[in-house]
């Protein structure tokens, strides 16, 4: 098991993310998330029609699609350039993330 990620390592470059996603032995973790029952029912209903074995793989696909879209939108953008510049000047990732979220540049 890998040690917990340090705060300063929490924001990776796009290249680092791509390399990690191409790895076949990526570490997995179990999470718990509260969702409205009707959403789960709808996911269960449409998953087979979309070729998924169940609603959980469909949820993973949806999350992955949205994550890739946001990463692509932010990659090479002014936000990324500013983030890297602030890091070079010693601004903590937590402060950078909070400012980006506060400015509405990334939707949580």
């Amino acid at each position: 098991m890998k040690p917990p990620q340090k705060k300063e390592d929490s924001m990776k470059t796009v290249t680092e993310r791509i390399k990690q996603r191409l790895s076949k032995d990526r570490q997995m973790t179990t999470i718990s998330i509260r969702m409205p029952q009707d959403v789960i029912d709808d996911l269960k209903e449409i998953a087979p029609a979309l070729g998924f074995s169940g609603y959980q793989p469909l949820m993973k696909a949806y999350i992955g699609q949205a994550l890739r879209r946001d990463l692509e939108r932010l990659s090479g953008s002014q936000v990324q350039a500013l983030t890297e510049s602030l890091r070079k000047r010693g601004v903590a990732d937590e402060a950078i993330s909070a400012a980006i979220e506060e400015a509405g540049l990334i939707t949580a």
Side-chain angles (χ1 to χ4, degrees):
M1 187 171 181
K2 292 163 80 176
Q5 211 175 30
K6 296 178 191 173
K7 294 283 183 189
E8 60 269 13
D9 295 336
S10 63
M11 295 179 70
K12 298 177 184 172
T13 67
V14 173
T15 303
E16 290 170 329
R17 285 187 177 106
I18 291 170
K19 285 181 184 177
Q20 182 180 11
R21 289 204 173 84
L22 292 176
S23 172
K24 293 182 190 259
D25 60 343
R26 290 169 45 199
Q27 182 178 355
M28 301 293 276
T29 187
T30 301
I31 64 165
S32 176
I33 184 169
R34 293 178 57 81
M35 299 282 294
Q37 184 61 49
D38 62 314
V39 171
I40 299 299
D41 293 341
D42 289 345
L43 289 165
K44 286 179 179 180
E45 182 179 333
I46 68 168
L50 295 174
F52 290 90
S53 60
Y55 77 97
Q56 291 179 342
L58 177 58
M59 287 178 62
K60 286 189 228 179
Y62 283 154
I63 292 168
Q65 288 170 358
L67 178 59
R68 284 189 300 279
R69 183 188 64 233
D70 285 346
L71 289 171
E72 183 178 319
R73 180 175 58 89
L74 295 172
S75 120
S77 71
Q78 291 179 346
V79 172
Q80 185 161 351
L82 177 61
T83 298
E84 290 172 11
S85 178
L86 291 170
R87 278 189 188 140
K88 288 178 186 175
R89 288 169 173 71
V91 177
D93 280 349
E94 294 157 337
I96 296 170
S97 295
I100 290 171
E101 187 173 344
E102 184 178 294
L105 299 174
I106 298 178
T107 55

